Amino acid sequence: MERVVMQVSGLVWALTLVGIAGLVVFDFYFHVRRAHIPTLREAAAWSAVYVGLAIAFGLGVLILGGRDMGAEYFAGWVTEKALSVDNLFVFLVLLNSFKVPRADQQKVLLFGIVFSLVARTGFIFLGAALINSFAWVFYLFGLILLITAGNLLRGEDSDDRSADNIIIRTARRFLRTADGYDGDKLFTVQDGRRVLTPMLLVMVAIGGTDILFALDSIPAIFGLTQSVYLVFTATAFSLLGLRQLYFLLDGLLDRLIYLSYGLAAILAFIGVKLILHALHENNVPFINGGAPVDVVEISTGISLVFIIGVLAVTVVASLLSPKGRAQTYVAAARRHANAFLDVETDPRYCDEIYHRLLAEETHLRSLPEKYRARIRRQDELMELLRRAHRVHEERVAAGACFTVGV
């Protein structure tokens, strides 16, 4: 792999940073500042806008920087976007674990995106400095990716990425927090004292997991390009629009049951690519006497084709899988029941959630008998659904719910 360095002027860097900051500020003032629940149409439209901006930027790189630089950008962006979708699974767990009202989830997600941009920028420059100083860092990055791929294949969910990781346990121990939310405020008054709300804790959780995600994503993209500018912009454009994508894919995330296998294949592929590149530029004394090793390197074009191909196969296989469909319906029913019972307080939205729950139960009844039998054996789920129906009947009797159509 012949290393190509893209020379970027300070003016281009400044304009890029201003443009990305402007998009974040626009997102806050026009979408997030007023707490609301994005409609599917709104989420789809703005997701398309951000994807379009990323593609337009890539075309600009292709025209001004040449075919190789354009291929490196798109390979990096597609990989980072796929990893960001995987991150949405963890965000979903965190937001549900902390029982964040849906109208307030946008603020948490935008904070996570901004924090991730800042943290990953630091990791990017640190990674670039290490690569420029130590060629053996490619061995380390390759090993990290191979280990991560192995963990994904085994289905291991690190406790550090759960809603009860060490960052949250430390925060709960040393910070005085309220029992409930006060809108989207970070502070409230409880028993005459100013205390933190759980909103701050969930932001800490999102920020902590973002740092851990960077340990996978930054080595992965450096395996596709060593241009700091391309690494930064591909990472930034993969994160912009992630909030809208969350609300767009909320009902489909659980359907992508083979995504982790696809990501494992991609990370392992990039890990091998990094190690081959490290061998090609080897100066480690105990490998080939410190001399470069004549090995075949994987081109960026082949990498891009492989990444897109694996993702396409993974998504299609997931969408066609009866198991994936059953898993989607079960997860959606559980999520809606929990939100109806323990999270949402707006009566109008509670009633909407309940009707969504009824729709999911209809989907469950449409599944083949072997899947319905497995679902009936999930005592916790069945009791949760029964409790949701009981509470709805009690609220209707007390006049606490509105009546809306499905």
Side-chain angles (χ1 to χ4, degrees):
M1 177 175 65
E2 183 180 352
R3 184 174 178 180
V4 180
V5 179
M6 183 179 185
Q7 299 298 327
V8 179
S9 67
L11 177 61
V12 172
W13 266 106
L15 291 175
T16 302
L17 293 173
V18 169
I20 290 173
L23 289 172
V24 172
V25 172
F26 173 84
D27 205 15
F28 175 77
Y29 277 99
F30 288 92
H31 297 113
V32 176
R33 185 172 58 170
R34 180 181 62 84
H36 73 286
I37 302 167
T39 63
L40 186 63
R41 182 177 181 180
E42 176 187 343
W46 283 105
S47 292
V49 167
Y50 281 105
V51 169
L53 287 173
I55 293 175
F57 182 86
L59 293 176
V61 172
L62 185 66
I63 294 170
L64 299 176
R67 184 179 62 183
D68 290 340
M69 305 311 299
E72 288 182 10
Y73 167 81
F74 279 112
W77 175 67
V78 170
T79 300
E80 292 297 303
K81 199 68 175 178
L83 290 170
S84 70
V85 171
D86 188 49
N87 297 354
L88 290 181
F89 284 96
V90 181
F91 291 168
L92 183 63
V93 171
L94 289 170
L95 293 174
N96 286 337
S97 298
F98 283 96
K99 299 180 180 179
V100 181
R102 193 163 176 79
D104 299 324
Q105 291 179 2
Q106 294 198 91
K107 189 171 186 178
V108 176
L109 291 169
L110 184 61
F111 168 84
I113 291 169
V114 173
F115 183 89
S116 186
L117 273 172
V118 174
R120 294 188 190 201
T121 299
F123 278 118
I124 288 169
F125 283 100
L126 175 61
L130 290 173
I131 287 172
N132 289 332
S133 302
F134 310 104
W136 55 261
V137 169
F138 285 108
Y139 288 115
L140 177 61
F141 282 2
L143 182 61
I144 289 173
L145 294 182
L146 291 175
I147 292 173
T148 303
N151 289 337
L152 285 172
L153 285 177
R154 287 196 296 269
E156 292 184 357
D157 293 322
S158 172
D159 181 61
D160 291 335
R161 294 187 175 189
S162 73
D164 190 34
N165 60 40
I166 188 171
I167 297 172
I168 299 306
R169 292 195 294 270
T170 302
R172 288 187 186 278
R173 180 177 179 181
F174 293 102
L175 300 178
R176 185 183 298 111
T177 59
D179 297 327
Y181 292 90
D182 185 4
D184 61 358
K185 295 178 181 178
L186 301 181
F187 299 90
T188 189
V189 176
Q190 182 174 287
D191 298 329
R193 292 193 301 178
R194 185 176 174 83
V195 296
L196 303 172
T197 69
M199 183 65 70
L200 185 61
L201 277 182
V202 71
M203 286 184 173
V204 172
I206 293 289
T209 53
D210 277 332
I211 292 175
L212 295 171
F213 290 144
L215 299 178
D216 299 339
S217 65
I218 298 305
I221 194 169
F222 269 116
L224 298 167
T225 176
Q226 282 89 63
S227 167
V228 176
Y229 183 76
L230 293 183
V231 171
F232 172 76
T233 51
T235 300
F237 278 110
S238 73
L239 292 171
L240 293 172
L242 192 60
R243 177 185 62 81
Q244 293 86 348
L245 191 63
Y246 172 86
F247 289 97
L248 179 63
L249 297 182
D250 186 9
L252 293 176
L253 284 175
D254 298 294
R255 186 73 176 267
L256 301 177
I257 60 172
Y258 300 125
L259 179 62
S260 61
Y261 297 106
L263 291 176
I266 291 171
L267 292 179
F269 175 84
I270 299 174
V272 171
K273 176 181 170 73
L274 276 169
I275 291 174
L276 289 174
H277 180 62
L279 290 169
H280 189 266
E281 297 190 355
N282 178 64
N283 59 8
V284 178
F286 56 83
I287 298 178
N288 198 35
V293 181
D294 186 17
V295 293
V296 176
E297 291 200 78
I298 303 171
S299 69
T300 303
I302 293 175
S303 300
L304 181 58
V305 171
F306 178 85
I307 291 167
I308 293 176
V310 168
L311 288 176
V313 171
T314 297
V315 171
V316 171
S318 296
L319 294 179
L320 294 179
S321 167
K323 179 182 177 182
R325 188 167 69 252
Q327 184 170 306
T328 301
Y329 296 154
V330 169
R334 180 180 286 108
R335 187 160 59 250
H336 290 146
N338 281 321
F340 176 77
L341 292 168
D342 300 326
V343 179
E344 300 296 340
T345 57
D346 184 340
R348 192 177 300 275
Y349 188 53
C350 279
D351 203 60
E352 181 181 336
I353 291 176
Y354 182 74
H355 282 82
R356 290 184 184 180
L357 175 60
L358 294 180
E360 296 303 335
E361 289 181 313
T362 300
H363 289 149
L364 291 175
R365 287 191 290 272
S366 70
L367 293 171
E369 173 57 29
K370 68 174 183 177
Y371 291 109
R372 296 203 308 272
R374 292 176 189 172
I375 293 170
R376 288 193 295 268
R377 289 195 293 270
Q378 298 183 34
D379 295 336
E380 174 269 335
L381 173 63
M382 301 309 297
E383 175 55 30
L384 180 67
L385 297 179
R386 285 192 289 268
R387 188 159 66 93
H389 289 298
R390 287 197 303 269
V391 170
H392 177 72
E393 292 172 359
E394 293 169 0
R395 291 178 181 177
V396 170
C401 282
F402 294 94
T403 302
V404 297
V406 179

PDB file of all heavy atoms in Angstrom, residues 350-371:
ATOM      1  N   CYS A 350     -48.539   8.589  25.861  1.00  0.00           N
ATOM      2  CA  CYS A 350     -48.739   7.264  26.482  1.00  0.00           C
ATOM      3  C   CYS A 350     -49.754   6.448  25.688  1.00  0.00           C
ATOM      4  O   CYS A 350     -49.568   5.252  25.454  1.00  0.00           O
ATOM      5  CB  CYS A 350     -49.213   7.425  27.929  1.00  0.00           C
ATOM      6  SG  CYS A 350     -47.900   7.755  29.105  1.00  0.00           S
ATOM      7  N   ASP A 351     -50.835   7.112  25.276  1.00  0.00           N
ATOM      8  CA  ASP A 351     -51.860   6.396  24.524  1.00  0.00           C
ATOM      9  C   ASP A 351     -51.334   5.977  23.153  1.00  0.00           C
ATOM     10  O   ASP A 351     -51.629   4.885  22.666  1.00  0.00           O
ATOM     11  CB  ASP A 351     -53.099   7.283  24.371  1.00  0.00           C
ATOM     12  CG  ASP A 351     -54.356   6.476  24.112  1.00  0.00           C
ATOM     13  OD1 ASP A 351     -54.703   5.642  24.961  1.00  0.00           O
ATOM     14  OD2 ASP A 351     -54.969   6.669  23.046  1.00  0.00           O
ATOM     15  N   GLU A 352     -50.503   6.823  22.550  1.00  0.00           N
ATOM     16  CA  GLU A 352     -49.905   6.471  21.263  1.00  0.00           C
ATOM     17  C   GLU A 352     -48.990   5.262  21.415  1.00  0.00           C
ATOM     18  O   GLU A 352     -49.003   4.357  20.570  1.00  0.00           O
ATOM     19  CB  GLU A 352     -49.113   7.666  20.720  1.00  0.00           C
ATOM     20  CG  GLU A 352     -48.472   7.413  19.374  1.00  0.00           C
ATOM     21  CD  GLU A 352     -47.675   8.606  18.875  1.00  0.00           C
ATOM     22  OE1 GLU A 352     -47.964   9.745  19.303  1.00  0.00           O
ATOM     23  OE2 GLU A 352     -46.748   8.393  18.070  1.00  0.00           O
ATOM     24  N   ILE A 353     -48.198   5.245  22.492  1.00  0.00           N
ATOM     25  CA  ILE A 353     -47.314   4.102  22.738  1.00  0.00           C
ATOM     26  C   ILE A 353     -48.126   2.824  22.920  1.00  0.00           C
ATOM     27  O   ILE A 353     -47.760   1.758  22.430  1.00  0.00           O
ATOM     28  CB  ILE A 353     -46.441   4.350  23.984  1.00  0.00           C
ATOM     29  CG1 ILE A 353     -45.428   5.456  23.708  1.00  0.00           C
ATOM     30  CG2 ILE A 353     -45.705   3.089  24.400  1.00  0.00           C
ATOM     31  CD1 ILE A 353     -44.598   5.824  24.916  1.00  0.00           C
ATOM     32  N   TYR A 354     -49.250   2.937  23.636  1.00  0.00           N
ATOM     33  CA  TYR A 354     -50.075   1.755  23.881  1.00  0.00           C
ATOM     34  C   TYR A 354     -50.604   1.173  22.571  1.00  0.00           C
ATOM     35  O   TYR A 354     -50.622  -0.049  22.379  1.00  0.00           O
ATOM     36  CB  TYR A 354     -51.240   2.100  24.801  1.00  0.00           C
ATOM     37  CG  TYR A 354     -52.104   0.906  25.145  1.00  0.00           C
ATOM     38  CD1 TYR A 354     -51.647  -0.062  26.041  1.00  0.00           C
ATOM     39  CD2 TYR A 354     -53.349   0.727  24.546  1.00  0.00           C
ATOM     40  CE1 TYR A 354     -52.429  -1.173  26.344  1.00  0.00           C
ATOM     41  CE2 TYR A 354     -54.130  -0.376  24.841  1.00  0.00           C
ATOM     42  CZ  TYR A 354     -53.660  -1.329  25.747  1.00  0.00           C
ATOM     43  OH  TYR A 354     -54.441  -2.423  26.039  1.00  0.00           O
ATOM     44  N   HIS A 355     -51.021   2.055  21.653  1.00  0.00           N
ATOM     45  CA  HIS A 355     -51.515   1.560  20.373  1.00  0.00           C
ATOM     46  C   HIS A 355     -50.382   0.955  19.539  1.00  0.00           C
ATOM     47  O   HIS A 355     -50.600   0.017  18.765  1.00  0.00           O
ATOM     48  CB  HIS A 355     -52.214   2.688  19.615  1.00  0.00           C
ATOM     49  CG  HIS A 355     -53.588   2.972  20.124  1.00  0.00           C
ATOM     50  ND1 HIS A 355     -53.817   3.765  21.227  1.00  0.00           N
ATOM     51  CD2 HIS A 355     -54.812   2.531  19.717  1.00  0.00           C
ATOM     52  CE1 HIS A 355     -55.114   3.820  21.461  1.00  0.00           C
ATOM     53  NE2 HIS A 355     -55.747   3.093  20.567  1.00  0.00           N
ATOM     54  N   ARG A 356     -49.169   1.471  19.700  1.00  0.00           N
ATOM     55  CA  ARG A 356     -48.018   0.850  19.040  1.00  0.00           C
ATOM     56  C   ARG A 356     -47.778  -0.539  19.620  1.00  0.00           C
ATOM     57  O   ARG A 356     -47.432  -1.478  18.895  1.00  0.00           O
ATOM     58  CB  ARG A 356     -46.768   1.712  19.227  1.00  0.00           C
ATOM     59  CG  ARG A 356     -46.778   3.025  18.468  1.00  0.00           C
ATOM     60  CD  ARG A 356     -45.452   3.741  18.648  1.00  0.00           C
ATOM     61  NE  ARG A 356     -45.440   5.045  18.010  1.00  0.00           N
ATOM     62  CZ  ARG A 356     -44.415   5.871  18.026  1.00  0.00           C
ATOM     63  NH1 ARG A 356     -43.293   5.516  18.657  1.00  0.00           N
ATOM     64  NH2 ARG A 356     -44.483   7.040  17.431  1.00  0.00           N
ATOM     65  N   LEU A 357     -47.959  -0.661  20.940  1.00  0.00           N
ATOM     66  CA  LEU A 357     -47.805  -1.959  21.594  1.00  0.00           C
ATOM     67  C   LEU A 357     -48.823  -2.962  21.042  1.00  0.00           C
ATOM     68  O   LEU A 357     -48.487  -4.125  20.775  1.00  0.00           O
ATOM     69  CB  LEU A 357     -47.972  -1.804  23.105  1.00  0.00           C
ATOM     70  CG  LEU A 357     -47.969  -3.093  23.936  1.00  0.00           C
ATOM     71  CD1 LEU A 357     -46.655  -3.844  23.773  1.00  0.00           C
ATOM     72  CD2 LEU A 357     -48.207  -2.772  25.413  1.00  0.00           C
ATOM     73  N   LEU A 358     -50.067  -2.510  20.855  1.00  0.00           N
ATOM     74  CA  LEU A 358     -51.086  -3.394  20.282  1.00  0.00           C
ATOM     75  C   LEU A 358     -50.687  -3.847  18.881  1.00  0.00           C
ATOM     76  O   LEU A 358     -50.887  -5.014  18.514  1.00  0.00           O
ATOM     77  CB  LEU A 358     -52.436  -2.667  20.240  1.00  0.00           C
ATOM     78  CG  LEU A 358     -53.070  -2.315  21.592  1.00  0.00           C
ATOM     79  CD1 LEU A 358     -54.397  -1.604  21.371  1.00  0.00           C
ATOM     80  CD2 LEU A 358     -53.270  -3.552  22.449  1.00  0.00           C
ATOM     81  N   ALA A 359     -50.106  -2.929  18.118  1.00  0.00           N
ATOM     82  CA  ALA A 359     -49.672  -3.291  16.763  1.00  0.00           C
ATOM     83  C   ALA A 359     -48.559  -4.328  16.803  1.00  0.00           C
ATOM     84  O   ALA A 359     -48.544  -5.276  15.987  1.00  0.00           O
ATOM     85  CB  ALA A 359     -49.208  -2.038  16.018  1.00  0.00           C
ATOM     86  N   GLU A 360     -47.625  -4.178  17.748  1.00  0.00           N
ATOM     87  CA  GLU A 360     -46.536  -5.149  17.863  1.00  0.00           C
ATOM     88  C   GLU A 360     -47.063  -6.512  18.289  1.00  0.00           C
ATOM     89  O   GLU A 360     -46.574  -7.552  17.843  1.00  0.00           O
ATOM     90  CB  GLU A 360     -45.482  -4.657  18.863  1.00  0.00           C
ATOM     91  CG  GLU A 360     -44.761  -3.384  18.452  1.00  0.00           C
ATOM     92  CD  GLU A 360     -44.073  -3.518  17.108  1.00  0.00           C
ATOM     93  OE1 GLU A 360     -43.729  -4.649  16.700  1.00  0.00           O
ATOM     94  OE2 GLU A 360     -43.867  -2.480  16.451  1.00  0.00           O
ATOM     95  N   GLU A 361     -48.072  -6.530  19.160  1.00  0.00           N
ATOM     96  CA  GLU A 361     -48.658  -7.804  19.578  1.00  0.00           C
ATOM     97  C   GLU A 361     -49.351  -8.488  18.397  1.00  0.00           C
ATOM     98  O   GLU A 361     -49.336  -9.723  18.277  1.00  0.00           O
ATOM     99  CB  GLU A 361     -49.637  -7.571  20.722  1.00  0.00           C
ATOM    100  CG  GLU A 361     -48.950  -7.207  22.023  1.00  0.00           C
ATOM    101  CD  GLU A 361     -49.935  -7.010  23.158  1.00  0.00           C
ATOM    102  OE1 GLU A 361     -50.940  -6.315  22.962  1.00  0.00           O
ATOM    103  OE2 GLU A 361     -49.697  -7.572  24.238  1.00  0.00           O
ATOM    104  N   THR A 362     -49.949  -7.682  17.514  1.00  0.00           N
ATOM    105  CA  THR A 362     -50.541  -8.246  16.297  1.00  0.00           C
ATOM    106  C   THR A 362     -49.467  -8.886  15.426  1.00  0.00           C
ATOM    107  O   THR A 362     -49.653  -9.978  14.870  1.00  0.00           O
ATOM    108  CB  THR A 362     -51.269  -7.154  15.505  1.00  0.00           C
ATOM    109  OG1 THR A 362     -52.310  -6.592  16.311  1.00  0.00           O
ATOM    110  CG2 THR A 362     -51.877  -7.718  14.223  1.00  0.00           C
ATOM    111  N   HIS A 363     -48.304  -8.214  15.338  1.00  0.00           N
ATOM    112  CA  HIS A 363     -47.179  -8.781  14.581  1.00  0.00           C
ATOM    113  C   HIS A 363     -46.700 -10.091  15.206  1.00  0.00           C
ATOM    114  O   HIS A 363     -46.378 -11.053  14.497  1.00  0.00           O
ATOM    115  CB  HIS A 363     -46.015  -7.785  14.546  1.00  0.00           C
ATOM    116  CG  HIS A 363     -46.279  -6.590  13.688  1.00  0.00           C
ATOM    117  ND1 HIS A 363     -45.752  -5.351  13.948  1.00  0.00           N
ATOM    118  CD2 HIS A 363     -47.042  -6.448  12.570  1.00  0.00           C
ATOM    119  CE1 HIS A 363     -46.167  -4.499  13.030  1.00  0.00           C
ATOM    120  NE2 HIS A 363     -46.941  -5.127  12.189  1.00  0.00           N
ATOM    121  N   LEU A 364     -46.651 -10.118  16.532  1.00  0.00           N
ATOM    122  CA  LEU A 364     -46.216 -11.336  17.222  1.00  0.00           C
ATOM    123  C   LEU A 364     -47.145 -12.506  16.909  1.00  0.00           C
ATOM    124  O   LEU A 364     -46.694 -13.636  16.714  1.00  0.00           O
ATOM    125  CB  LEU A 364     -46.159 -11.101  18.733  1.00  0.00           C
ATOM    126  CG  LEU A 364     -45.064 -10.166  19.244  1.00  0.00           C
ATOM    127  CD1 LEU A 364     -45.215  -9.925  20.739  1.00  0.00           C
ATOM    128  CD2 LEU A 364     -43.685 -10.738  18.952  1.00  0.00           C
ATOM    129  N   ARG A 365     -48.435 -12.221  16.853  1.00  0.00           N
ATOM    130  CA  ARG A 365     -49.399 -13.290  16.568  1.00  0.00           C
ATOM    131  C   ARG A 365     -49.325 -13.764  15.124  1.00  0.00           C
ATOM    132  O   ARG A 365     -49.812 -14.847  14.793  1.00  0.00           O
ATOM    133  CB  ARG A 365     -50.820 -12.798  16.887  1.00  0.00           C
ATOM    134  CG  ARG A 365     -51.101 -12.696  18.383  1.00  0.00           C
ATOM    135  CD  ARG A 365     -52.591 -12.480  18.649  1.00  0.00           C
ATOM    136  NE  ARG A 365     -53.017 -11.150  18.235  1.00  0.00           N
ATOM    137  CZ  ARG A 365     -52.974 -10.071  19.018  1.00  0.00           C
ATOM    138  NH1 ARG A 365     -52.528 -10.176  20.272  1.00  0.00           N
ATOM    139  NH2 ARG A 365     -53.392  -8.904  18.587  1.00  0.00           N
ATOM    140  N   SER A 366     -48.686 -12.958  14.252  1.00  0.00           N
ATOM    141  CA  SER A 366     -48.568 -13.354  12.844  1.00  0.00           C
ATOM    142  C   SER A 366     -47.347 -14.235  12.582  1.00  0.00           C
ATOM    143  O   SER A 366     -47.175 -14.744  11.469  1.00  0.00           O
ATOM    144  CB  SER A 366     -48.474 -12.102  11.962  1.00  0.00           C
ATOM    145  OG  SER A 366     -47.222 -11.438  12.156  1.00  0.00           O
ATOM    146  N   LEU A 367     -46.512 -14.427  13.606  1.00  0.00           N
ATOM    147  CA  LEU A 367     -45.298 -15.220  13.435  1.00  0.00           C
ATOM    148  C   LEU A 367     -45.630 -16.718  13.352  1.00  0.00           C
ATOM    149  O   LEU A 367     -46.673 -17.151  13.846  1.00  0.00           O
ATOM    150  CB  LEU A 367     -44.345 -14.978  14.608  1.00  0.00           C
ATOM    151  CG  LEU A 367     -43.734 -13.580  14.722  1.00  0.00           C
ATOM    152  CD1 LEU A 367     -43.000 -13.441  16.052  1.00  0.00           C
ATOM    153  CD2 LEU A 367     -42.780 -13.326  13.553  1.00  0.00           C
ATOM    154  N   PRO A 368     -44.730 -17.506  12.769  1.00  0.00           N
ATOM    155  CA  PRO A 368     -44.932 -18.964  12.776  1.00  0.00           C
ATOM    156  C   PRO A 368     -45.038 -19.493  14.200  1.00  0.00           C
ATOM    157  O   PRO A 368     -44.495 -18.904  15.138  1.00  0.00           O
ATOM    158  CB  PRO A 368     -43.671 -19.490  12.077  1.00  0.00           C
ATOM    159  CG  PRO A 368     -43.216 -18.354  11.214  1.00  0.00           C
ATOM    160  CD  PRO A 368     -43.560 -17.105  11.981  1.00  0.00           C
ATOM    161  N   GLU A 369     -45.714 -20.624  14.356  1.00  0.00           N
ATOM    162  CA  GLU A 369     -46.014 -21.159  15.682  1.00  0.00           C
ATOM    163  C   GLU A 369     -44.766 -21.405  16.520  1.00  0.00           C
ATOM    164  O   GLU A 369     -44.772 -21.190  17.736  1.00  0.00           O
ATOM    165  CB  GLU A 369     -46.810 -22.468  15.545  1.00  0.00           C
ATOM    166  CG  GLU A 369     -47.052 -23.213  16.860  1.00  0.00           C
ATOM    167  CD  GLU A 369     -47.775 -22.366  17.901  1.00  0.00           C
ATOM    168  OE1 GLU A 369     -48.547 -21.475  17.510  1.00  0.00           O
ATOM    169  OE2 GLU A 369     -47.536 -22.596  19.110  1.00  0.00           O
ATOM    170  N   LYS A 370     -43.658 -21.858  15.911  1.00  0.00           N
ATOM    171  CA  LYS A 370     -42.473 -22.163  16.712  1.00  0.00           C
ATOM    172  C   LYS A 370     -41.924 -20.915  17.392  1.00  0.00           C
ATOM    173  O   LYS A 370     -41.412 -20.975  18.513  1.00  0.00           O
ATOM    174  CB  LYS A 370     -41.396 -22.830  15.853  1.00  0.00           C
ATOM    175  CG  LYS A 370     -40.752 -21.943  14.798  1.00  0.00           C
ATOM    176  CD  LYS A 370     -39.601 -22.683  14.122  1.00  0.00           C
ATOM    177  CE  LYS A 370     -38.879 -21.815  13.105  1.00  0.00           C
ATOM    178  NZ  LYS A 370     -37.717 -22.524  12.495  1.00  0.00           N
ATOM    179  N   TYR A 371     -42.041 -19.743  16.726  1.00  0.00           N
ATOM    180  CA  TYR A 371     -41.577 -18.504  17.350  1.00  0.00           C
ATOM    181  C   TYR A 371     -42.568 -18.034  18.407  1.00  0.00           C
ATOM    182  O   TYR A 371     -42.174 -17.524  19.458  1.00  0.00           O
ATOM    183  CB  TYR A 371     -41.386 -17.431  16.281  1.00  0.00           C
ATOM    184  CG  TYR A 371     -40.232 -17.718  15.347  1.00  0.00           C
ATOM    185  CD1 TYR A 371     -40.467 -18.077  14.016  1.00  0.00           C
ATOM    186  CD2 TYR A 371     -38.915 -17.663  15.784  1.00  0.00           C
ATOM    187  CE1 TYR A 371     -39.422 -18.366  13.155  1.00  0.00           C
ATOM    188  CE2 TYR A 371     -37.859 -17.953  14.924  1.00  0.00           C
ATOM    189  CZ  TYR A 371     -38.119 -18.302  13.614  1.00  0.00           C
ATOM    190  OH  TYR A 371     -37.078 -18.597  12.766  1.00  0.00           O
TER     191      TYR A 371
END
